[in-house]
């Protein structure tokens, strides 16, 4: 098996019922393993240990037998475990900034950022999207139109913060930030609570008063 992009790196080689380590790229040394029993059953899966961000990319697997030769290309994405930021308390009608820290490399050109709001039922709401060096808001949910802003000047410091303007009570909930820099993928979750919604007394049926939150 080898890496597909750029100068091909030899990841692992198996020939004559044994592993061949000669020529294996040093970045994969002591981190790869084939299962001989699986090979006899028609499965040449490779186990890669201690995955690193640099392992992300396309891999090519070549299998040659007496009957035929076959190949398969596999794409590997390396994800960082989702982090939970401290909860945010926002005031209705004011602006709030949601932080999204990530580890950035020297090249920020392929940086992609997506902010979503998690919904209990149905699909998540797209809050903001940034792709290929610009905002891409064609699929932004209508409730966030004209109220969101990213700060590209903060990207080199490893922060994809989102500013949400004129906060509404409906903005309360769980927000998820996905960042795809040159290496790795990062995910941050933030719980937002909205205060200052106010309450007023309304008359319920049969004369029982109840409290209702104002919008």
């Amino acid at each position: 098996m080898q890496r597909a992009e750029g100068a091909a790196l030899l990841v692992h080689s198996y020939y004559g019922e044994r592993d061949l380590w000669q020529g294996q790229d040093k970045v994969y040394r002591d981190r790869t393993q084939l299962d001989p029993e699986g090979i006899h059953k028609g499965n040449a899966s490779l186990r890669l240990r201690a995955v690193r961000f640099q392992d992300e990319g396309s891999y090519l697997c070549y299998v040659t037998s007496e009957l035929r030769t076959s190949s398969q290309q596999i794409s590997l994405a390396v994800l960082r475990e989702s982090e939970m930021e401290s909860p945010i308390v926002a005031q209705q009608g004011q602006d709030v900034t949601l932080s999204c820290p990530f580890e950035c490399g020297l090249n920020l050109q392929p940086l992609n950022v997506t902010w979503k709001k998690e919904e209990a039922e149905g699909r998540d709401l797209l809050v903001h999207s940034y792709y290929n060096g610009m905002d891409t808001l064609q699929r932004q949910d209508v409730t966030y139109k004209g109220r969101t802003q990213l700060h590209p000047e903060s990207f080199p410091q490893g922060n994809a913060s989102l500013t949400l303007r004129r906060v509404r009570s409906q903005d309360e909930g769980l927000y998820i930030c996905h960042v795809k820099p040159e290496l790795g993928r990062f995910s941050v979750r933030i719980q937002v609570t909205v205060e200052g919604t106010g309450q007023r007394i309304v008359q319920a049926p049969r004369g029982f008063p109840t409290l209702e939150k104002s919008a």
Side-chain angles (χ1 to χ4, degrees):
M1 179 174 282
Q2 65 182 36
R3 287 285 292 271
E5 65 276 293
L9 305 180
L10 181 59
V11 179
H12 197 101
S13 182
Y14 183 88
Y15 182 78
E17 300 291 327
R18 63 190 181 92
D19 296 311
L20 295 180
W21 305 112
Q22 185 177 1
Q24 183 188 43
D25 192 273
K26 61 182 181 180
V27 299
Y28 295 102
R29 197 157 297 162
D30 299 324
R31 296 201 297 132
T32 61
Q33 179 184 357
L34 283 178
D35 180 11
E37 293 185 5
I39 292 176
H40 291 302
K41 296 177 182 178
N43 189 344
S45 297
L46 176 78
R47 178 183 294 275
L48 179 60
R49 301 188 186 91
V51 173
R52 309 165 182 171
F53 288 136
Q54 293 85 349
D55 294 332
E56 183 167 288
S58 296
Y59 290 76
L60 285 173
C61 175
Y62 295 98
V63 178
T64 301
S65 66
E66 295 179 355
L67 300 177
R68 64 190 180 96
T69 298
S70 61
S71 64
Q72 183 174 354
Q73 182 165 325
I74 303 168
S75 293
L76 174 65
V78 181
L79 303 178
R80 179 178 178 175
E81 185 178 357
S82 177
E83 293 187 355
M84 192 73 181
E85 288 287 289
S86 299
I88 295 290
V89 177
Q91 298 297 319
Q92 182 171 267
Q94 298 185 7
D95 299 346
V96 66
T97 297
L98 310 181
S99 180
C100 181
F102 66 95
E103 295 179 14
C104 60
L106 297 177
N107 185 8
L108 291 174
Q109 186 60 36
L111 184 71
N112 299 327
V113 180
T114 303
W115 277 91
K116 293 184 178 182
K117 181 173 182 282
E118 192 173 89
E119 294 292 279
E121 298 180 359
R123 63 180 181 84
D124 294 343
L125 303 181
L126 180 60
V127 179
H128 199 102
S129 180
Y130 181 92
Y131 180 78
N132 200 24
M134 64 180 66
D135 294 319
T136 53
L137 305 178
Q138 294 87 342
R139 298 184 180 181
Q140 183 184 43
D141 191 85
V142 293
T143 60
Y144 294 99
K145 292 288 185 183
R147 297 200 298 129
T148 61
Q149 181 183 358
L150 282 180
H151 305 278
E153 67 276 7
S154 298
F155 292 168
Q157 286 76 49
N159 197 340
S161 296
L162 174 81
T163 296
L164 179 59
R165 306 193 186 284
R166 303 182 300 281
V167 171
R168 307 169 181 172
S169 59
Q170 297 91 333
D171 294 334
E172 186 166 283
L174 183 64
Y175 288 77
I176 306 172
C177 169
H178 297 290
V179 182
K180 174 65 175 69
E182 182 182 15
L183 295 174
R185 301 187 183 199
F186 300 84
S187 179
V188 173
R189 301 158 69 88
I190 303 177
Q191 181 68 41
V192 175
T193 302
V194 178
E195 290 187 347
T197 56
Q199 292 182 328
R200 62 188 178 90
I201 296 180
V202 297
Q203 198 68 22
R206 299 184 181 180
F208 290 96
T210 185
L211 291 177
E212 180 184 81
K213 285 187 177 181
S214 60

